[in-house]
Amino acid sequence: MPGGERGADGWRVEWRGTAVMGVLNVTPDSFSDGGQHFGLGAALACARQMHGAGVLILDIGGESTRPGAEPVPADTELDRVLPVIRELKEDGVLLSVDTLKPEVAQAALRAGAHLVNDVGGGRDPEMLRVCSDAGAPLCIMHMQGEPRTMQNSPHYGDVVAEVFAFLRGQAAAARAAGVPDVLLDPGIGFGKTREHNLALLRALPQLTTGPDGVLVGASRKRLIDYLADVPQAGDRDPGTLALHLHAARSGAAVVRAHAAAAHVQALRVQAALDLPG
Ligand code: HH2
């Protein structure tokens, strides 16, 4: 399993196998767990449970990016995520802030977050500057369009070529701006049809053989309903595990999951099968 080590100058993470990033949505309206962890007490309890189960990273988000979601002001997002980050920063778990807004990322990093998860893919140069200044890694996710309208009519010529070229280009731009490390994420469900998502998942080995770590976030997404007829997001953990074990076998460094404990267990078992002898 991957390990994180706190050095004098912050966190150094060595990726060995596939790590779990536990989802902590401090929102009233997230598609899969909206409202469940909205209060500080509930958020902290969930965070500590996931940490105890063995996640490497907690991904703290204060704005839903589900299809059709309306943006929230930066102040609202900060009121949601900062108290959680302040409480967890000494817990010995990596903290990621899931945001599209550089000002939210900056405040979160100052409050104790270690990395930024940008579903905007680092397109805003200000986001790159914030990460560079803080020496913080950036997760670069691909999204076609924006959350409010992205599922209206996603279209690509060659989805795999276009998404992977975007990710590689953004990684180069981030490095040139001084961002110390990146994770690349094809953005399952972000401006993509069922066929687009499947093509990207099948092509993961093309991305994971590159120099950068790859993150996959298929947790409880509608793709699972399309594939296995599971209308309720909360019922989609078995399908999520199937997709994420595939991602791990394909070389993903991180999977982003709501059912964190089940993921840690399944990935440990899968890793044991891969050991020689
Ligand atoms: N998916 C969601 C949010 N953030 N970040 C990355 N890097 N990759 C993803 O696939 C991803 C993400 C959407 O899931 P969730 O956080 O459960 O829902 P919501 O956006 O409604 O809060």
Side-chain angles (χ1 to χ4, degrees):
M1 292 294 285
E5 194 184 304
R6 199 191 253 291
D9 55 348
W11 280 88
R12 288 278 166 274
V13 178
E14 192 189 331
W15 303 115
R16 297 189 300 271
T18 304
V20 179
M21 170 187 261
V23 180
L24 189 62
N25 287 321
V26 198
T27 54
D29 58 343
S30 287
F31 81 95
S32 57
D33 56 359
Q36 276 178 37
H37 315 123
F38 195 36
L40 182 60
L44 295 178
C46 174
R48 290 183 170 133
Q49 199 175 26
M50 289 196 279
H51 181 205
V55 305
L56 181 68
I57 309 168
L58 290 170
D59 190 34
I60 302 163
E63 176 179 60
S64 173
T65 50
R66 73 185 188 287
E70 293 290 339
V72 300
D75 284 357
T76 307
E77 222 182 308
L78 285 169
D79 287 346
R80 294 174 181 174
V81 299
L82 288 185
V84 180
I85 292 168
R86 289 192 184 113
E87 287 287 335
L88 293 174
K89 70 177 179 194
E90 302 299 340
D91 272 29
V93 60
L94 289 174
L95 302 177
S96 156
V97 60
D98 183 357
T99 186
L100 280 156
K101 301 187 187 75
E103 64 266 45
V104 172
Q106 185 172 49
L109 291 168
R110 285 184 179 154
H114 304 96
L115 62 142
V116 175
N117 175 20
D118 178 14
V119 300
R123 269 180 275 225
D124 185 340
E126 189 58 11
M127 190 62 107
L128 303 185
R129 190 194 59 75
V130 164
C131 289
S132 170
D133 286 356
L138 174 68
C139 177
I140 293 171
M141 196 200 78
H142 177 275
M143 163 165 59
Q144 188 177 82
E146 38 113 14
R148 211 166 41 80
T149 53
M150 64 189 177
Q151 287 307 107
N152 288 356
S153 60
H155 57 278
Y156 300 84
D158 178 337
V159 66
V160 170
E162 288 170 37
V163 170
F164 290 2
F166 168 83
L167 293 175
R168 292 185 185 113
Q170 291 303 104
R175 286 237 167 63
V179 177
D181 203 3
V182 295
L183 282 165
L184 305 183
D185 179 349
I188 299 304
F190 283 84
K192 285 148 194 123
T193 63
R194 183 185 94 133
E195 281 66 34
H196 296 144
N197 289 314
L198 284 175
L200 288 164
L201 287 164
R202 289 186 181 120
L204 277 176
Q206 291 176 38
L207 194 62
T208 58
T209 46
D212 299 308
V214 171
L215 183 148
V216 174
S219 195
R220 299 185 180 169
K221 292 199 174 159
R222 197 166 302 165
L223 170 64
I224 298 161
D225 182 25
Y226 295 146
L227 298 177
D229 191 17
V230 196
Q232 296 299 321
D235 293 336
R236 296 178 191 155
D237 289 331
T240 302
L241 267 174
L243 295 174
H244 284 170
L245 289 175
H246 161 79
R249 272 268 149 79
S250 304
V254 185
V255 290
R256 181 182 181 277
H258 300 85
H263 274 73
V264 171
Q265 182 184 127
L267 286 163
R268 280 186 182 151
V269 170
Q270 189 182 59
L273 287 167
D274 290 341
L275 286 175

